[in-house]
Amino acid sequence: MLEIKDLHVKAGDKEILHGINLKVKAGEVHSIMGPNGSGKSTLAQVLAGRESYEVTAGQITYEGKDLLQIAPEDRARLGIFMAFQYPVEIPGVSNTYFLKAALNAIRKERGEEEVDALDFLNLVKEKMELLKIDEKLISRPVNEGFSGGEKKRNEIFQLAVLEPKLAILDETDSGLDIDALKVVAHGVNSLRSKDRAFIVVTHYQRILNYIIPDYVHVLYDGRVVKSGGKQLAIELEKKGYSWLGEETVSAQLVN
Amino acid sequence: MIEAVQKETDIYLSNFAQLERELADEEPAWLRRVRKAAILRYFELGFPTRKQEEWKYTEVRPIARIPFKPAQYELDGLTADKLNQLTFGNLQCPRLVFVNGHYSAELSSLEGLPDPVEVHSLAQVLKEDPDSIEPYLTRYADYENHPFIALNTAFIQDGAFVYIPKGQVLKEPIHLLYFSTAPEEAAVAYPRNLIVLEGNNQAVILESYVGLGERKYFTNLVTEIVAGENAIADHYKLQQESREAFHIATLQVHQDRSSSVRTFNVTLGGALTRNEVNVVLDGEGADCALDGLYLISGRQHVDNHTRLEHAKPHCDSREIYKGILDEKATAVFHGRIVVQPGAQKTDSKQTNNNLLLSDEALINTKPQLEIYANDVKCTHGATIGQLDQDALFYLCSRGIDKATARSLLIYAFASEVVNRIKVESVRVELDKYLFSWLPKGHLVKEAV
Ligand SMILES: Nc1ncnc2c1ncn2[C@@H]1O[C@H](COP(=O)(O)OP(=O)(O)OP(=O)(O)O)[C@@H](O)[C@H]1O
Ligand SMILES: [Mg+2]
């Protein structure tokens, strides 16, 4: 489904990602872990099409297409969804109506009919229950005045409504208390299917107790320094990230 | 004195001489006196220049350069049906239509007005019962210190006279529609509106100024609103003149005790616009809302000057002006709040927010507080910004195309002030205009 090859990314004058390789197949759940500033969000944003990052080398192929040539809105329509680490507040734009416009844009791309108001309402209701999200929040302007946790939950609510093929969750777990985390994880798990892939970006192993990944990759200073199964996450939780630095340095010396 | 005469004043002087000849002895002596005083004052003041603080960012030489003749009544194929197509044209409400500044009986319809309410053309009142308006006309807008008010006063001929007696409650608008057919020869009209609410009553007044195409003409208007004790007035003004038109307007509001006035100033058209709104809160417990929206592009220039005077204690005022500027449009916002000695417990808040859609658009914004009382609450704030790139990306990342995302954000910006419009029929019409103005507006309409 997704293949990233030797991806180099710059923001301003600074190179942040120094050659990332990653392959994600439909049905898989990959976790990307790494310390602050290692480039996790940069990777997520580049996948979603953020133009303030400059891809200086490498390729991203999504379902056989050159993803880097595709505008953000078209990526969304092709089934890519990123849950933001810091969801944006948009006063004056209603959550529900904006989501309906988004859903219809995506459905149009898929050759499906637009949802009518009633079907949409039912869909929203169903997903609201799934994520135990308050109806009042949904009818408010996008993220305006939401608490940190509410914003994160709203991201997953949008994910559930839009039903993407590739979902990238950028630190959806941070800022959630344990109950909220369980709800969100339950929401994500219920969306897992053989056609859908997830990239779960996180700092902590905790969320991976609930969303069990197939693969774990460790991002450190803009490089994937280690990949493995779910045990890797547990190892990281115990040892922290600092030992990885030494390991990379020595690996580079050997090379 | 004579040496100081600027060339541009000549045309107005000869126009004035001609008007006096035409009116001969048909007008009341008091008005003739005021007229004379006003033209004299105009003659002394001349056109403002950018050396004057109040006109620092607005250049009126392009107006001065053109020898405008008084506009004549001419329908030029205009019909009521055509007027119905305009913004606010299909509101089901009494409508006074003026063509090139002159009342059009054939296009107006005053159906539905309760009997005691008086709505007439000013020309008619001046002819038939001038004494009834002497206590009000020319008493509020100050021609002594303003050349354009002086000009308007000197040339008073027509406009609307609205008188709402005590106890009358009108919840739907009375629409004053000024349409310019703008014939070949550059012409000037001087609409003069006088709206009096006697007190303990309520009315909605809607003024719109419309001209089609690219014709050059000049509208120099003055509206005076007198809100008596306990009166509630909603006032809307829509400026949708031709893209080549000059529009200089003064709205003068005088509020008595416990009256409540909301005024909303929408500027969409015109090449050069100056709106002055002066409100005097002259009775305890009065409140006013002073709002505006300017939506401009190309080389349009809009200058909003507001002056809010708290003359008595316990008055509240809220002011929000929002501007959206594209291409090379330029705008000025100058909001002055004056709290007079003794006007304790004044509560006043002013905001001006601007959204610049291009690098070449320009706004000068200047709030000004003059406070001569010590127990007051006054705040003001101004912002100038561009579309929020993070919000744009957020919307696009959900599948919404860029044009729609932009329009959504622009609409959201405007809606904060549009939503303050209390009269639903007016708000709906203005929304309709916004949706037609915004690229992909039909999608925005569904998403807000
Ligand atoms: N637009 C930008 N301009 C300049 N530097 C940037 C930009 N975006 C990110 N960076 C820098 O790139 C590095 C990686 O940032 P990124 O947000 O991708 O890290 P992260 O792994 O998501 O961190 P965190 O765990 O704190 O979310 C940081 O040093 C950050 O300061
Ligand atoms: Mg991050």
Side-chain angles (χ1 to χ4, degrees), chain A residues 41 85 170-171:
Chain A
S41 292
Q85 180 175 5
D170 190 0
E171 295 212 24

Side-chain angles (χ1 to χ4, degrees), chain A residues 8-105:
Chain A
H8 290 255
V9 173
K10 257 166 88 173
D13 295 334
K14 187 174 148 201
E15 186 168 282
I16 299 169
L17 300 181
H18 315 290
I20 302 280
N21 292 289
L22 186 69
K23 234 180 176 165
V24 178
K25 293 204 191 95
E28 294 178 349
V29 175
H30 290 245
S31 172
I32 295 182
M33 301 185 70
N36 288 127
S38 54
K40 304 182 297 294
S41 292
T42 303
L43 180 61
Q45 299 260 341
V46 167
L47 288 173
R50 184 81 198 217
E51 276 139 7
S52 52
Y53 293 100
E54 188 194 347
V55 176
T56 51
Q59 287 169 334
I60 306 179
T61 328
Y62 170 74
E63 294 194 315
K65 297 184 189 75
D66 179 359
L67 192 67
L68 296 174
Q69 298 304 316
I70 301 174
E73 60 269 31
D74 292 323
R75 296 184 194 196
R77 292 169 187 190
L78 292 171
I80 293 181
F81 179 96
M82 180 193 49
F84 284 64
Q85 180 175 5
Y86 303 110
V88 187
E89 297 195 15
I90 313 181
V93 176
S94 130
N95 233 324
T96 340
Y97 291 112
F98 130 74
L99 199 55
K100 183 166 169 238
L103 181 63
N104 280 331

Side-chain angles (χ1 to χ4, degrees), chain A residues 104-118:
Chain A
N104 280 331
I106 292 168
R107 289 177 68 100
K108 209 167 144 194
E109 178 73 32
R110 292 192 207 135
E112 294 167 5
E113 260 181 49
E114 295 200 347
V115 280
D116 67 28
L118 193 66

Side-chain angles (χ1 to χ4, degrees), chain B residues 27 55 214 329 440:
Chain B
E27 65 174 335
W55 293 87
E214 306 278 298
K440 306 247 183 172

Side-chain angles (χ1 to χ4, degrees), chain B residues 130-433:
Chain B
D131 294 342
S132 68
I133 54 174
E134 192 194 348
Y136 308 106
L137 191 66
T138 77
R139 304 274 169 149
Y140 297 96
D142 176 16
Y143 64 81
E144 284 292 337
N145 293 305
H146 198 298
F148 289 105
I149 298 178
L151 258 189
N152 175 283
T153 305
F155 286 93
I156 285 178
Q157 252 188 303
D158 212 345
F161 173 59
V162 177
Y163 189 88
I164 318 282
K166 282 208 168 99
Q168 291 294 322
V169 174
L170 277 72
K171 287 188 173 160
E172 285 304 312
I174 296 169
H175 188 182
L176 317 178
L177 170 55
Y178 285 84
F179 191 93
S180 288
T181 60
E184 289 299 342
E185 197 179 32
V188 51
Y190 303 99
R192 181 82 179 206
N193 303 305
L194 176 61
I195 294 145
V196 181
L197 285 89
E198 198 184 358
N200 269 321
N201 53 7
Q202 185 172 344
V204 183
I205 306 290
L206 174 62
E207 293 178 54
S208 58
Y209 296 83
V210 187
L212 302 178
E214 306 278 298
R215 293 276 172 82
K216 242 188 183 48
Y217 58 90
F218 177 22
T219 306
N220 177 200
L221 82 107
V222 173
T223 297
E224 291 166 303
I225 299 178
V226 187
E229 203 171 311
N230 236 359
I232 298 174
D234 279 278
H235 171 259
Y236 305 95
K237 183 192 150 209
L238 172 73
Q239 192 271 77
Q240 211 172 9
E241 306 265 30
S242 102
R243 279 299 192 97
E244 293 292 324
F246 301 114
H247 181 95
I248 306 249
T250 295
L251 170 66
Q252 183 75 39
V253 180
H254 188 92
Q255 290 190 237
D256 213 330
R257 174 185 275 270
S258 301
S259 63
S260 173
V261 174
R262 306 174 68 90
T263 163
F264 191 99
N265 213 329
V266 185
T267 304
L268 308 172
L272 190 166
T273 302
R274 166 90 162 200
N275 289 316
E276 297 199 14
V277 180
N278 305 318
V279 179
V280 184
L281 293 161
D282 200 20
E284 283 193 26
D287 71 77
C288 103
L290 225 171
D291 296 335
L293 175 69
Y294 38 105
L295 206 71
I296 50 174
S297 60
R299 291 180 171 277
Q300 285 179 284
H301 176 82
V302 175
D303 178 344
N304 281 299
H305 259 66
T306 66
R307 184 178 190 279
L308 236 163
E309 182 180 339
H310 281 260
K312 294 279 155 64
H314 294 287
C315 293
D316 292 353
S317 60
R318 291 288 176 274
E319 176 170 9
I320 300 183
Y321 266 72
K322 288 204 166 212
I324 299 170
L325 287 74
D326 202 357
E327 296 166 350
K328 294 185 172 173
T330 52
V332 180
F333 175 80
H334 187 159
R336 178 181 292 178
I337 298 169
V338 183
V339 180
Q340 298 293 15
Q344 304 296 11
K345 306 289 179 194
T346 286
D347 184 345
S348 178
K349 186 167 184 221
Q350 179 195 82
T351 322
N352 172 232
N353 305 126
N354 297 281
L355 181 59
L356 304 185
L357 299 177
S358 98
D359 293 339
E360 290 173 301
L362 192 70
I363 166 84
N364 271 293
T365 174
K366 183 178 169 193
Q368 201 178 345
L369 298 180
E370 285 173 37
I371 301 177
Y372 306 104
N374 55 20
D375 185 12
V376 302
K377 205 163 90 191
C378 291
T379 60
H380 63 77
T383 62
I384 301 169
Q386 279 142 0
L387 281 178
D388 179 353
Q389 293 301 316
D390 291 334
L392 266 181
F393 177 63
Y394 188 86
L395 293 171
C396 290
S397 80
R398 298 299 183 246
I400 295 184
D401 68 275
K402 274 205 184 69
T404 308
R406 262 174 75 91
S407 292
L408 261 173
L409 295 181
I410 295 169
Y411 179 81
F413 176 83
S415 68
E416 193 197 341
V417 61
V418 173
N419 287 341
R420 281 163 59 90
I421 297 181
K422 271 202 318 199
V423 180
E424 197 190 342
S425 56
V426 174
R427 193 177 58 239
V428 168
E429 276 290 292
L430 189 60
D431 265 342
K432 225 160 69 184
Y433 174 83

Side-chain angles (χ1 to χ4, degrees), chain A residues 51-52 69 95 139 164 178 196 198 204 220 222 229 241 247:
Chain A
E51 276 139 7
S52 52
Q69 298 304 316
N95 233 324
S139 53
I178 189 70
R196 186 170 291 140
F198 286 88
Y204 309 103
Y220 194 90
Y241 289 108
E247 203 168 81

